[in-house]
Amino acid sequence: MPLTFVRSDMTRTAVVAGVGPGLGASLARRFDREGCDVALFARSPGFVEALAGELDSGLAVTVDVADPDAVAEGFETVREAFGPVDLLAFNASGASWTGLLESDLEGFRGALAVGVEGAFLCAREAVSDMVENDGGTVLFTGATTSVRGREGAVGFSAAKFGARGLAESMARELAPRGIHVAHVVVDGQILAPGTDTGDRAEHEYLDPDAIANEYWNLVEQDRSTWTLELDLRPHVEPF
């Protein structure tokens, strides 16, 4: 049985699905600093267990978001520990960087299973809590290829397009019920720990902590001015 935490009425329960050392970790740390109870979903336990130990109120949950039973069990673990979910950041993706002729059906289906079906499964679980309470927030991590197909990445592109469509449909459906759904286009490469910048300057990369700040701004937006889509790109020095 998971450890049960005391949850105050003002504490949000946040789930970050797809946590690695880049944006996922930054989101978890930012939500924790804002007083959230934070559940970290990842397929492998090692990194998220260490990260959860750094947080004031963190819970590592091993979940394959492409597995419906695992997703349901993961959210039930969160509810037992923290209570109903108020905030979901879906940050998971998985695909080989291959073009059409180099891709096989198994790999393509796998990309859709994680990036689209996983988003659907996690959103359905989280939103089922939100509609019973005072609403909530669902945030999807997109990419440049969410809006413009990328050569040599058919599975990744298709999955990101699918998640974007899911997010936009949910936003229109759920806004009247007090649930803010937003899709964040991360339009550039994230400077995660260990990134080899090569000949590129650091300002040509996106800072995951800065992105996490923008996610939190979306969480706190007034209901009269909710954002449907946010495009984040690196600062480019003028000539």
Side-chain angles (χ1 to χ4, degrees):
M1 291 294 290
L3 179 64
T4 300
F5 294 82
V6 177
R7 180 177 188 268
S8 72
D9 291 339
M10 298 301 293
T11 301
R12 289 184 175 98
T13 295
V15 173
V16 183
V19 178
L23 179 56
S26 291
L27 291 172
R29 293 186 177 108
R30 180 56 195 262
F31 296 164
D32 181 69
R33 288 199 305 272
E34 295 296 338
C36 297
D37 295 325
V38 186
L40 316 175
F41 283 11
R43 281 184 290 187
S44 301
F47 177 78
V48 289
E49 288 180 349
L51 178 58
E54 298 175 13
L55 305 181
D56 289 334
S57 184
L59 177 69
V61 188
T62 304
V63 177
D64 178 355
V65 298
D67 182 339
D69 291 336
V71 171
E73 291 171 6
F75 274 88
E76 193 55 37
T77 297
V78 175
R79 294 183 188 108
E80 290 175 2
F82 296 145
V85 176
D86 307 289
L87 168 59
L88 167 67
F90 188 84
N91 189 56
S93 62
S96 59
W97 292 91
T98 54
L100 179 66
L101 298 182
E102 295 76 38
S103 301
D104 57 30
L105 182 58
E106 181 180 3
F108 187 77
R109 284 175 171 168
L112 298 182
V114 173
V116 182
E117 293 179 17
F120 167 78
L121 292 168
C122 289
R124 188 174 58 174
E125 287 286 342
V127 169
S128 69
D129 287 353
M130 296 174 191
V131 296
E132 296 297 326
N133 295 290
D134 189 32
T137 307
V138 181
L139 306 174
F140 292 89
T141 297
T144 310
T145 194
S146 304
V147 295
R148 184 176 67 250
R150 175 171 178 163
E151 179 184 357
V154 293
F156 185 74
S157 295
K160 286 299 185 182
F161 262 84
R164 184 187 185 209
L166 173 66
E168 291 196 5
S169 296
M170 286 174 51
R172 300 180 191 283
E173 173 189 350
L174 297 171
R177 306 188 74 171
I179 299 171
H180 181 195
V181 181
H183 178 257
V184 181
V185 179
V186 180
D187 193 6
Q189 186 175 351
I190 293 174
L191 187 61
T195 299
D196 181 6
T197 61
D199 295 330
R200 294 173 63 184
E202 286 194 8
H203 69 257
E204 297 181 39
Y205 291 83
L206 286 156
D207 178 356
D209 291 340
I211 299 173
N213 292 341
E214 297 301 325
Y215 274 66
W216 187 252
N217 290 339
L218 292 171
V219 174
E220 294 208 310
Q221 274 191 333
D222 185 86
R223 290 185 178 185
S224 66
T225 56
W226 276 344
T227 297
L228 172 60
E229 187 160 78
L230 181 66
D231 190 330
L232 301 178
R233 60 189 65 187
H235 170 67
V236 178
E237 295 285 356
F239 293 106

